[in-house]
Amino acid sequence: DIVMTQSPDSLAVSLGERATINCKSSQGVLYTANNRNQISWFQQKPGQPPKLLISLASTRRSGVPDRFSGSGSGTDFALTISGLQAEDAAVYYCQQYKEAPLTFGGGTKVEIK
Amino acid sequence: EAQLVESGGGLVQPGGSLRLSCTTSGFTLSSFWVSWVRQAPGKGLEWVANVKQDGSEKFYVDSVRGRFTISRDNAKNSVYLQMNSLKTEDTAVYYCAGSGGWLLDSWGQGTLVTVSS
């Protein structure tokens, strides 16, 4: 199984500042058919289902603000929130969908300082 | 954005069974790979199983293989999760999610399963 390790577990960031969440996979997640890394990022707020923000490691889903960006390759990936807004307080998860079982990182709680 | 709706959750004793359903309105589920993903209270997300559009391929996480069965009835626009031999550690909100591939694009609101005596 591919293990996804997120860091940090939590972080507190001031409004308008940058938040960076890291995600490391235990093996490569490159899908050779499309030469893209099969990494998603989700945002989850209390009492709500997860919301897909980023797919293919760096492709923002339609309607997601451009302050959210995904990056990385190989086994190291990151989600960056540039210019943190109050509504961005949530738990964020990375996930690989290259192979079964699909696996999630443990989550990173982002709080407003 | 496709909307999925789960049902069938509830309270069940250890060793019992429950069947969850996932359906949609306004679009056909038969074009989707559909997954079940669960979240224990206060914990992270765990993928449970998925099924291909025509039901010909199914995958499971090790912790449920042999106890849970995912299936679908495209004529009824529904995907199911039959859960047998339930354990207390299966207590969670169960979400169905899916898209044309393995990307978990559209999600339901979830249904709570509580396994307790």
Side-chain angles (χ1 to χ4, degrees):
Chain A
D1 299 1
I2 299 176
V3 177
M4 306 298 290
T5 303
Q6 271 183 250
S7 62
D9 293 337
S10 64
L11 72 163
V13 178
S14 300
L15 291 174
E17 296 301 306
R18 175 180 297 180
T20 300
I21 301 167
N22 298 298
C23 179
K24 187 174 185 66
S25 59
S26 61
Q27 61 191 76
V29 292
L30 187 70
Y31 183 49
T32 54
N34 61 15
N35 200 38
R36 300 293 299 273
N37 289 293
Q38 308 296 95
I39 291 290
S40 293
W41 288 95
F42 296 89
Q43 175 193 66
Q44 188 179 32
K45 296 180 179 180
Q48 297 184 18
K51 173 186 176 183
L52 178 65
L53 300 176
I54 303 276
S55 62
L56 299 175
S58 60
T59 301
R60 231 181 352 263
R61 192 182 185 213
S62 176
V64 173
D66 61 7
R67 63 180 180 274
F68 291 92
S69 62
S71 62
S73 62
T75 61
D76 292 288
F77 302 91
L79 174 71
T80 300
I81 311 171
S82 302
L84 192 78
Q85 302 295 305
E87 61 264 33
D88 300 334
V91 179
Y92 293 84
Y93 296 92
C94 63
Q95 182 239 340
Q96 67 80 20
Y97 53 103
K98 175 180 181 288
E99 64 181 48
L102 310 186
T103 46
F104 291 88
T108 296
K109 185 175 185 177
V110 173
E111 298 175 304
I112 308 300
K113 188 186 294 183
Chain B
E1 179 180 333
Q3 293 294 323
L4 289 77
V5 178
E6 305 90 343
S7 61
L11 175 64
V12 61
Q13 292 187 338
S17 297
L18 211 55
R19 189 177 85 152
L20 306 182
S21 298
C22 172
T23 189
T24 68
S25 60
F27 80 99
T28 176
L29 199 57
S30 62
S31 61
F32 274 27
W33 271 89
V34 175
S35 284
W36 288 96
V37 177
R38 66 184 178 182
Q39 187 169 37
K43 302 298 183 182
L45 300 167
E46 180 183 36
W47 176 85
V48 173
N50 67 358
V51 59
K52 193 176 180 180
Q53 287 90 336
D54 62 1
S56 62
E57 294 184 46
K58 304 174 184 180
F59 298 91
Y60 299 90
V61 70
D62 283 349
S63 59
V64 309
R65 187 176 291 112
R67 299 189 300 123
F68 291 10
T69 301
I70 191 170
S71 63
R72 66 192 303 156
D73 184 341
N74 287 337
K76 295 184 177 180
N77 210 33
S78 295
V79 171
Y80 307 102
L81 187 67
Q82 177 67 43
M83 304 186 294
N84 298 330
S85 303
L86 281 161
K87 305 176 181 180
T88 55
E89 53 263 41
D90 295 318
T91 293
V93 173
Y94 284 74
Y95 298 100
C96 63
S99 74
W102 281 14
L103 180 66
L104 302 179
D105 190 3
S106 301
W107 292 68
Q109 290 297 311
T111 187
L112 177 62
V113 172
T114 303
V115 185
S116 175
S117 55

mmCIF file of all heavy atoms in Angstrom, chain B residues 40-83:
data_model
loop_
_atom_site.group_PDB
_atom_site.id
_atom_site.type_symbol
_atom_site.label_atom_id
_atom_site.label_comp_id
_atom_site.label_asym_id
_atom_site.label_seq_id
_atom_site.Cartn_x
_atom_site.Cartn_y
_atom_site.Cartn_z
ATOM 1 N N ALA B 40 -14.116 7.853 10.936
ATOM 2 C CA ALA B 40 -14.463 7.597 12.322
ATOM 3 C C ALA B 40 -14.554 8.926 13.064
ATOM 4 O O ALA B 40 -13.924 9.918 12.664
ATOM 5 C CB ALA B 40 -13.417 6.690 12.960
ATOM 6 N N PRO B 41 -15.323 8.975 14.143
ATOM 7 C CA PRO B 41 -15.513 10.235 14.874
ATOM 8 C C PRO B 41 -14.184 10.875 15.267
ATOM 9 O O PRO B 41 -13.348 10.235 15.917
ATOM 10 C CB PRO B 41 -16.305 9.799 16.106
ATOM 11 C CG PRO B 41 -17.042 8.574 15.665
ATOM 12 C CD PRO B 41 -16.126 7.878 14.720
ATOM 13 N N GLY B 42 -13.987 12.115 14.841
ATOM 14 C CA GLY B 42 -12.780 12.862 15.188
ATOM 15 C C GLY B 42 -11.506 12.390 14.493
ATOM 16 O O GLY B 42 -10.411 12.845 14.845
ATOM 17 N N LYS B 43 -11.651 11.504 13.517
ATOM 18 C CA LYS B 43 -10.475 10.935 12.841
ATOM 19 C C LYS B 43 -10.417 11.358 11.375
ATOM 20 O O LYS B 43 -11.248 12.126 10.898
ATOM 21 C CB LYS B 43 -10.512 9.402 12.936
ATOM 22 C CG LYS B 43 -10.552 8.861 14.356
ATOM 23 C CD LYS B 43 -9.319 9.248 15.155
ATOM 24 C CE LYS B 43 -9.347 8.637 16.544
ATOM 25 N NZ LYS B 43 -8.156 9.048 17.343
ATOM 26 N N GLY B 44 -9.418 10.830 10.673
ATOM 27 C CA GLY B 44 -9.220 11.162 9.272
ATOM 28 C C GLY B 44 -10.047 10.302 8.336
ATOM 29 O O GLY B 44 -10.895 9.517 8.756
ATOM 30 N N LEU B 45 -9.769 10.459 7.046
ATOM 31 C CA LEU B 45 -10.515 9.767 6.011
ATOM 32 C C LEU B 45 -9.866 8.428 5.682
ATOM 33 O O LEU B 45 -8.639 8.320 5.613
ATOM 34 C CB LEU B 45 -10.561 10.634 4.752
ATOM 35 C CG LEU B 45 -11.211 12.003 4.919
ATOM 36 C CD1 LEU B 45 -10.923 12.882 3.711
ATOM 37 C CD2 LEU B 45 -12.710 11.857 5.121
ATOM 38 N N GLU B 46 -10.710 7.414 5.465
ATOM 39 C CA GLU B 46 -10.228 6.093 5.072
ATOM 40 C C GLU B 46 -11.064 5.594 3.891
ATOM 41 O O GLU B 46 -12.289 5.436 4.011
ATOM 42 C CB GLU B 46 -10.304 5.092 6.225
ATOM 43 C CG GLU B 46 -9.808 3.704 5.827
ATOM 44 C CD GLU B 46 -9.943 2.657 6.924
ATOM 45 O OE1 GLU B 46 -10.943 2.708 7.681
ATOM 46 O OE2 GLU B 46 -9.067 1.792 7.023
ATOM 47 N N TRP B 47 -10.406 5.337 2.792
ATOM 48 C CA TRP B 47 -11.092 4.739 1.637
ATOM 49 C C TRP B 47 -11.417 3.291 1.965
ATOM 50 O O TRP B 47 -10.607 2.576 2.555
ATOM 51 C CB TRP B 47 -10.181 4.836 0.421
ATOM 52 C CG TRP B 47 -10.709 4.177 -0.812
ATOM 53 C CD1 TRP B 47 -11.563 4.696 -1.736
ATOM 54 C CD2 TRP B 47 -10.400 2.854 -1.259
ATOM 55 N NE1 TRP B 47 -11.801 3.787 -2.734
ATOM 56 C CE2 TRP B 47 -11.104 2.649 -2.470
ATOM 57 C CE3 TRP B 47 -9.604 1.823 -0.767
ATOM 58 C CZ2 TRP B 47 -11.029 1.450 -3.180
ATOM 59 C CZ3 TRP B 47 -9.523 0.641 -1.472
ATOM 60 C CH2 TRP B 47 -10.234 0.461 -2.664
ATOM 61 N N VAL B 48 -12.617 2.842 1.560
ATOM 62 C CA VAL B 48 -13.091 1.508 1.921
ATOM 63 C C VAL B 48 -13.123 0.569 0.714
ATOM 64 O O VAL B 48 -12.629 -0.561 0.765
ATOM 65 C CB VAL B 48 -14.487 1.599 2.556
ATOM 66 C CG1 VAL B 48 -15.083 0.211 2.792
ATOM 67 C CG2 VAL B 48 -14.434 2.390 3.862
ATOM 68 N N ALA B 49 -13.738 1.030 -0.379
ATOM 69 C CA ALA B 49 -13.924 0.160 -1.543
ATOM 70 C C ALA B 49 -14.344 0.998 -2.732
ATOM 71 O O ALA B 49 -14.820 2.129 -2.569
ATOM 72 C CB ALA B 49 -14.980 -0.911 -1.259
ATOM 73 N N ASN B 50 -14.159 0.447 -3.937
ATOM 74 C CA ASN B 50 -14.734 1.080 -5.118
ATOM 75 C C ASN B 50 -15.184 0.039 -6.131
ATOM 76 O O ASN B 50 -14.829 -1.143 -6.042
ATOM 77 C CB ASN B 50 -13.814 2.138 -5.739
ATOM 78 C CG ASN B 50 -12.544 1.573 -6.355
ATOM 79 O OD1 ASN B 50 -12.290 0.379 -6.307
ATOM 80 N ND2 ASN B 50 -11.735 2.454 -6.931
ATOM 81 N N VAL B 51 -16.016 0.491 -7.063
ATOM 82 C CA VAL B 51 -16.579 -0.398 -8.081
ATOM 83 C C VAL B 51 -16.605 0.330 -9.415
ATOM 84 O O VAL B 51 -16.928 1.521 -9.498
ATOM 85 C CB VAL B 51 -17.982 -0.893 -7.668
ATOM 86 C CG1 VAL B 51 -18.947 0.260 -7.462
ATOM 87 C CG2 VAL B 51 -18.548 -1.887 -8.683
ATOM 88 N N LYS B 52 -16.249 -0.390 -10.460
ATOM 89 C CA LYS B 52 -16.213 0.153 -11.809
ATOM 90 C C LYS B 52 -17.629 0.412 -12.335
ATOM 91 O O LYS B 52 -18.597 -0.096 -11.782
ATOM 92 C CB LYS B 52 -15.487 -0.834 -12.734
ATOM 93 C CG LYS B 52 -15.088 -0.280 -14.089
ATOM 94 C CD LYS B 52 -14.300 -1.316 -14.871
ATOM 95 C CE LYS B 52 -13.892 -0.771 -16.235
ATOM 96 N NZ LYS B 52 -13.117 -1.793 -17.008
ATOM 97 N N GLN B 53 -17.713 1.181 -13.409
ATOM 98 C CA GLN B 53 -19.004 1.564 -13.959
ATOM 99 C C GLN B 53 -19.922 0.366 -14.233
ATOM 100 O O GLN B 53 -21.112 0.401 -13.931
ATOM 101 C CB GLN B 53 -18.818 2.348 -15.270
ATOM 102 C CG GLN B 53 -18.305 3.758 -15.103
ATOM 103 C CD GLN B 53 -16.792 3.864 -15.120
ATOM 104 O OE1 GLN B 53 -16.094 2.899 -14.828
ATOM 105 N NE2 GLN B 53 -16.295 5.032 -15.461
ATOM 106 N N ASP B 54 -19.354 -0.721 -14.782
ATOM 107 C CA ASP B 54 -20.185 -1.876 -15.125
ATOM 108 C C ASP B 54 -20.164 -2.958 -14.052
ATOM 109 O O ASP B 54 -20.729 -4.043 -14.251
ATOM 110 C CB ASP B 54 -19.749 -2.461 -16.468
ATOM 111 C CG ASP B 54 -18.317 -2.971 -16.447
ATOM 112 O OD1 ASP B 54 -17.661 -2.896 -15.385
ATOM 113 O OD2 ASP B 54 -17.838 -3.436 -17.497
ATOM 114 N N GLY B 55 -19.516 -2.685 -12.926
ATOM 115 C CA GLY B 55 -19.462 -3.641 -11.826
ATOM 116 C C GLY B 55 -18.442 -4.747 -12.004
ATOM 117 O O GLY B 55 -18.360 -5.649 -11.161
ATOM 118 N N SER B 56 -17.652 -4.696 -13.070
ATOM 119 C CA SER B 56 -16.745 -5.807 -13.377
ATOM 120 C C SER B 56 -15.467 -5.796 -12.536
ATOM 121 O O SER B 56 -14.762 -6.798 -12.482
ATOM 122 C CB SER B 56 -16.378 -5.783 -14.867
ATOM 123 O OG SER B 56 -15.693 -4.573 -15.184
ATOM 124 N N GLU B 57 -15.151 -4.665 -11.944
ATOM 125 C CA GLU B 57 -13.964 -4.571 -11.085
ATOM 126 C C GLU B 57 -14.348 -3.954 -9.756
ATOM 127 O O GLU B 57 -15.094 -2.971 -9.699
ATOM 128 C CB GLU B 57 -12.880 -3.716 -11.761
ATOM 129 C CG GLU B 57 -12.295 -4.314 -13.022
ATOM 130 C CD GLU B 57 -11.163 -3.475 -13.598
ATOM 131 O OE1 GLU B 57 -10.301 -3.054 -12.813
ATOM 132 O OE2 GLU B 57 -11.170 -3.230 -14.810
ATOM 133 N N LYS B 58 -13.792 -4.529 -8.690
ATOM 134 C CA LYS B 58 -14.038 -4.043 -7.334
ATOM 135 C C LYS B 58 -12.742 -4.147 -6.552
ATOM 136 O O LYS B 58 -11.985 -5.099 -6.717
ATOM 137 C CB LYS B 58 -15.127 -4.886 -6.642
ATOM 138 C CG LYS B 58 -16.443 -4.952 -7.395
ATOM 139 C CD LYS B 58 -17.419 -5.915 -6.738
ATOM 140 C CE LYS B 58 -18.691 -6.025 -7.571
ATOM 141 N NZ LYS B 58 -19.675 -6.958 -6.947
ATOM 142 N N PHE B 59 -12.504 -3.174 -5.695
ATOM 143 C CA PHE B 59 -11.311 -3.170 -4.859
ATOM 144 C C PHE B 59 -11.717 -2.829 -3.430
ATOM 145 O O PHE B 59 -12.689 -2.085 -3.216
ATOM 146 C CB PHE B 59 -10.291 -2.146 -5.374
ATOM 147 C CG PHE B 59 -9.787 -2.442 -6.763
ATOM 148 C CD1 PHE B 59 -10.422 -1.905 -7.870
ATOM 149 C CD2 PHE B 59 -8.691 -3.262 -6.950
ATOM 150 C CE1 PHE B 59 -9.966 -2.173 -9.152
ATOM 151 C CE2 PHE B 59 -8.229 -3.541 -8.229
ATOM 152 C CZ PHE B 59 -8.867 -2.998 -9.330
ATOM 153 N N TYR B 60 -10.959 -3.359 -2.470
ATOM 154 C CA TYR B 60 -11.268 -3.164 -1.055
ATOM 155 C C TYR B 60 -10.004 -2.860 -0.266
ATOM 156 O O TYR B 60 -8.915 -3.331 -0.604
ATOM 157 C CB TYR B 60 -11.907 -4.426 -0.461
ATOM 158 C CG TYR B 60 -13.215 -4.844 -1.092
ATOM 159 C CD1 TYR B 60 -13.246 -5.716 -2.167
ATOM 160 C CD2 TYR B 60 -14.429 -4.379 -0.579
ATOM 161 C CE1 TYR B 60 -14.444 -6.099 -2.733
ATOM 162 C CE2 TYR B 60 -15.641 -4.772 -1.145
ATOM 163 C CZ TYR B 60 -15.633 -5.628 -2.233
ATOM 164 O OH TYR B 60 -16.824 -6.013 -2.787
ATOM 165 N N VAL B 61 -10.180 -2.130 0.832
ATOM 166 C CA VAL B 61 -9.097 -2.013 1.800
ATOM 167 C C VAL B 61 -9.037 -3.315 2.594
ATOM 168 O O VAL B 61 -10.059 -3.983 2.785
ATOM 169 C CB VAL B 61 -9.308 -0.786 2.714
ATOM 170 C CG1 VAL B 61 -10.486 -0.991 3.661
ATOM 171 C CG2 VAL B 61 -8.041 -0.443 3.467
ATOM 172 N N ASP B 62 -7.857 -3.687 3.039
ATOM 173 C CA ASP B 62 -7.679 -4.978 3.703
ATOM 174 C C ASP B 62 -8.590 -5.149 4.921
ATOM 175 O O ASP B 62 -9.077 -6.254 5.187
ATOM 176 C CB ASP B 62 -6.221 -5.154 4.144
ATOM 177 C CG ASP B 62 -5.294 -5.520 2.993
ATOM 178 O OD1 ASP B 62 -5.808 -5.837 1.897
ATOM 179 O OD2 ASP B 62 -4.069 -5.477 3.195
ATOM 180 N N SER B 63 -8.824 -4.083 5.664
ATOM 181 C CA SER B 63 -9.561 -4.183 6.931
ATOM 182 C C SER B 63 -11.031 -4.575 6.756
ATOM 183 O O SER B 63 -11.687 -4.952 7.722
ATOM 184 C CB SER B 63 -9.463 -2.872 7.705
ATOM 185 O OG SER B 63 -10.000 -1.811 6.942
ATOM 186 N N VAL B 64 -11.554 -4.477 5.537
ATOM 187 C CA VAL B 64 -12.953 -4.836 5.314
ATOM 188 C C VAL B 64 -13.117 -5.990 4.334
ATOM 189 O O VAL B 64 -14.238 -6.523 4.187
ATOM 190 C CB VAL B 64 -13.794 -3.633 4.813
ATOM 191 C CG1 VAL B 64 -13.602 -2.432 5.720
ATOM 192 C CG2 VAL B 64 -13.472 -3.278 3.373
ATOM 193 N N ARG B 65 -12.036 -6.377 3.667
ATOM 194 C CA ARG B 65 -12.150 -7.438 2.653
ATOM 195 C C ARG B 65 -12.657 -8.718 3.320
ATOM 196 O O ARG B 65 -12.186 -9.143 4.356
ATOM 197 C CB ARG B 65 -10.809 -7.680 1.977
ATOM 198 C CG ARG B 65 -10.887 -8.660 0.788
ATOM 199 C CD ARG B 65 -9.556 -8.805 0.071
ATOM 200 N NE ARG B 65 -9.203 -7.587 -0.641
ATOM 201 C CZ ARG B 65 -8.186 -6.788 -0.300
ATOM 202 N NH1 ARG B 65 -7.433 -7.099 0.731
ATOM 203 N NH2 ARG B 65 -7.918 -5.711 -1.016
ATOM 204 N N GLY B 66 -13.666 -9.330 2.679
ATOM 205 C CA GLY B 66 -14.276 -10.535 3.235
ATOM 206 C C GLY B 66 -15.466 -10.256 4.134
ATOM 207 O O GLY B 66 -16.247 -11.162 4.420
ATOM 208 N N ARG B 67 -15.609 -9.014 4.585
ATOM 209 C CA ARG B 67 -16.757 -8.635 5.431
ATOM 210 C C ARG B 67 -17.705 -7.690 4.684
ATOM 211 O O ARG B 67 -18.926 -7.743 4.891
ATOM 212 C CB ARG B 67 -16.278 -7.953 6.711
ATOM 213 C CG ARG B 67 -15.401 -8.801 7.597
ATOM 214 C CD ARG B 67 -15.152 -8.122 8.950
ATOM 215 N NE ARG B 67 -14.485 -6.838 8.814
ATOM 216 C CZ ARG B 67 -14.972 -5.692 9.288
ATOM 217 N NH1 ARG B 67 -16.147 -5.670 9.910
ATOM 218 N NH2 ARG B 67 -14.286 -4.561 9.152
ATOM 219 N N PHE B 68 -17.148 -6.806 3.874
ATOM 220 C CA PHE B 68 -17.951 -5.824 3.136
ATOM 221 C C PHE B 68 -17.990 -6.211 1.668
ATOM 222 O O PHE B 68 -16.997 -6.733 1.119
ATOM 223 C CB PHE B 68 -17.346 -4.423 3.246
ATOM 224 C CG PHE B 68 -17.429 -3.789 4.615
ATOM 225 C CD1 PHE B 68 -17.815 -4.491 5.742
ATOM 226 C CD2 PHE B 68 -17.120 -2.436 4.766
ATOM 227 C CE1 PHE B 68 -17.885 -3.898 6.991
ATOM 228 C CE2 PHE B 68 -17.185 -1.814 5.998
ATOM 229 C CZ PHE B 68 -17.557 -2.562 7.112
ATOM 230 N N THR B 69 -19.110 -5.920 1.014
ATOM 231 C CA THR B 69 -19.245 -6.155 -0.420
ATOM 232 C C THR B 69 -19.844 -4.915 -1.075
ATOM 233 O O THR B 69 -20.919 -4.445 -0.663
ATOM 234 C CB THR B 69 -20.148 -7.362 -0.710
ATOM 235 O OG1 THR B 69 -19.604 -8.525 -0.090
ATOM 236 C CG2 THR B 69 -20.252 -7.600 -2.208
ATOM 237 N N ILE B 70 -19.143 -4.408 -2.077
ATOM 238 C CA ILE B 70 -19.663 -3.279 -2.843
ATOM 239 C C ILE B 70 -20.334 -3.826 -4.105
ATOM 240 O O ILE B 70 -19.855 -4.798 -4.712
ATOM 241 C CB ILE B 70 -18.544 -2.267 -3.190
ATOM 242 C CG1 ILE B 70 -19.126 -0.972 -3.757
ATOM 243 C CG2 ILE B 70 -17.502 -2.880 -4.131
ATOM 244 C CD1 ILE B 70 -18.100 0.160 -3.885
ATOM 245 N N SER B 71 -21.450 -3.249 -4.464
ATOM 246 C CA SER B 71 -22.163 -3.682 -5.670
ATOM 247 C C SER B 71 -22.916 -2.490 -6.236
ATOM 248 O O SER B 71 -22.992 -1.431 -5.614
ATOM 249 C CB SER B 71 -23.134 -4.823 -5.338
ATOM 250 O OG SER B 71 -24.133 -4.370 -4.434
ATOM 251 N N ARG B 72 -23.468 -2.685 -7.411
ATOM 252 C CA ARG B 72 -24.241 -1.605 -8.009
ATOM 253 C C ARG B 72 -25.365 -2.167 -8.859
ATOM 254 O O ARG B 72 -25.289 -3.303 -9.347
ATOM 255 C CB ARG B 72 -23.337 -0.690 -8.841
ATOM 256 C CG ARG B 72 -22.721 -1.293 -10.076
ATOM 257 C CD ARG B 72 -21.611 -0.379 -10.633
ATOM 258 N NE ARG B 72 -22.120 0.973 -10.921
ATOM 259 C CZ ARG B 72 -21.350 2.066 -10.964
ATOM 260 N NH1 ARG B 72 -20.043 1.970 -10.755
ATOM 261 N NH2 ARG B 72 -21.862 3.240 -11.247
ATOM 262 N N ASP B 73 -26.403 -1.363 -8.993
ATOM 263 C CA ASP B 73 -27.528 -1.677 -9.857
ATOM 264 C C ASP B 73 -27.757 -0.430 -10.705
ATOM 265 O O ASP B 73 -28.419 0.523 -10.250
ATOM 266 C CB ASP B 73 -28.755 -2.043 -9.034
ATOM 267 C CG ASP B 73 -29.938 -2.480 -9.883
ATOM 268 O OD1 ASP B 73 -29.959 -2.176 -11.096
ATOM 269 O OD2 ASP B 73 -30.846 -3.122 -9.345
ATOM 270 N N ASN B 74 -27.215 -0.418 -11.895
ATOM 271 C CA ASN B 74 -27.312 0.790 -12.722
ATOM 272 C C ASN B 74 -28.749 1.068 -13.161
ATOM 273 O O ASN B 74 -29.111 2.225 -13.394
ATOM 274 C CB ASN B 74 -26.386 0.670 -13.928
ATOM 275 C CG ASN B 74 -24.917 0.817 -13.540
ATOM 276 O OD1 ASN B 74 -24.589 1.415 -12.513
ATOM 277 N ND2 ASN B 74 -24.032 0.253 -14.349
ATOM 278 N N ALA B 75 -29.553 0.038 -13.236
ATOM 279 C CA ALA B 75 -30.961 0.251 -13.581
ATOM 280 C C ALA B 75 -31.680 1.051 -12.498
ATOM 281 O O ALA B 75 -32.633 1.776 -12.780
ATOM 282 C CB ALA B 75 -31.651 -1.094 -13.786
ATOM 283 N N LYS B 76 -31.200 0.911 -11.253
ATOM 284 C CA LYS B 76 -31.774 1.661 -10.132
ATOM 285 C C LYS B 76 -30.928 2.873 -9.777
ATOM 286 O O LYS B 76 -31.192 3.535 -8.763
ATOM 287 C CB LYS B 76 -31.933 0.754 -8.915
ATOM 288 C CG LYS B 76 -32.939 -0.367 -9.124
ATOM 289 C CD LYS B 76 -33.127 -1.186 -7.854
ATOM 290 C CE LYS B 76 -34.189 -2.264 -8.078
ATOM 291 N NZ LYS B 76 -34.401 -3.097 -6.850
ATOM 292 N N ASN B 77 -29.870 3.118 -10.590
ATOM 293 C CA ASN B 77 -29.010 4.284 -10.361
ATOM 294 C C ASN B 77 -28.430 4.277 -8.952
ATOM 295 O O ASN B 77 -28.354 5.321 -8.289
ATOM 296 C CB ASN B 77 -29.795 5.580 -10.604
ATOM 297 C CG ASN B 77 -28.921 6.704 -11.098
ATOM 298 O OD1 ASN B 77 -27.946 6.491 -11.813
ATOM 299 N ND2 ASN B 77 -29.256 7.927 -10.704
ATOM 300 N N SER B 78 -28.015 3.110 -8.484
ATOM 301 C CA SER B 78 -27.587 2.969 -7.090
ATOM 302 C C SER B 78 -26.339 2.114 -6.957
ATOM 303 O O SER B 78 -26.090 1.207 -7.755
ATOM 304 C CB SER B 78 -28.704 2.342 -6.256
ATOM 305 O OG SER B 78 -29.826 3.188 -6.178
ATOM 306 N N VAL B 79 -25.575 2.444 -5.923
ATOM 307 C CA VAL B 79 -24.426 1.648 -5.499
ATOM 308 C C VAL B 79 -24.649 1.287 -4.033
ATOM 309 O O VAL B 79 -25.180 2.104 -3.266
ATOM 310 C CB VAL B 79 -23.111 2.427 -5.679
ATOM 311 C CG1 VAL B 79 -21.949 1.678 -5.044
ATOM 312 C CG2 VAL B 79 -22.842 2.680 -7.163
ATOM 313 N N TYR B 80 -24.239 0.089 -3.664
ATOM 314 C CA TYR B 80 -24.499 -0.414 -2.315
ATOM 315 C C TYR B 80 -23.205 -0.827 -1.623
ATOM 316 O O TYR B 80 -22.217 -1.166 -2.266
ATOM 317 C CB TYR B 80 -25.435 -1.624 -2.382
ATOM 318 C CG TYR B 80 -26.701 -1.358 -3.168
ATOM 319 C CD1 TYR B 80 -26.845 -1.821 -4.470
ATOM 320 C CD2 TYR B 80 -27.755 -0.628 -2.606
ATOM 321 C CE1 TYR B 80 -27.994 -1.573 -5.201
ATOM 322 C CE2 TYR B 80 -28.911 -0.379 -3.327
ATOM 323 C CZ TYR B 80 -29.017 -0.845 -4.621
ATOM 324 O OH TYR B 80 -30.159 -0.606 -5.352
ATOM 325 N N LEU B 81 -23.249 -0.805 -0.294
ATOM 326 C CA LEU B 81 -22.179 -1.373 0.509
ATOM 327 C C LEU B 81 -22.829 -2.285 1.541
ATOM 328 O O LEU B 81 -23.458 -1.812 2.476
ATOM 329 C CB LEU B 81 -21.342 -0.290 1.190
ATOM 330 C CG LEU B 81 -20.099 -0.810 1.920
ATOM 331 C CD1 LEU B 81 -19.078 -1.368 0.919
ATOM 332 C CD2 LEU B 81 -19.464 0.279 2.780
ATOM 333 N N GLN B 82 -22.706 -3.587 1.325
ATOM 334 C CA GLN B 82 -23.206 -4.564 2.280
ATOM 335 C C GLN B 82 -22.122 -4.802 3.320
ATOM 336 O O GLN B 82 -21.005 -5.209 2.970
ATOM 337 C CB GLN B 82 -23.561 -5.877 1.575
ATOM 338 C CG GLN B 82 -24.019 -6.969 2.515
ATOM 339 C CD GLN B 82 -25.350 -6.657 3.171
ATOM 340 O OE1 GLN B 82 -26.271 -6.179 2.533
ATOM 341 N NE2 GLN B 82 -25.450 -6.921 4.471
ATOM 342 N N MET B 83 -22.447 -4.534 4.565
ATOM 343 C CA MET B 83 -21.468 -4.644 5.644
ATOM 344 C C MET B 83 -21.903 -5.742 6.595
ATOM 345 O O MET B 83 -22.963 -5.645 7.230
ATOM 346 C CB MET B 83 -21.348 -3.308 6.384
ATOM 347 C CG MET B 83 -20.998 -2.139 5.463
ATOM 348 S SD MET B 83 -20.692 -0.611 6.358
ATOM 349 C CE MET B 83 -22.313 -0.295 7.038
#
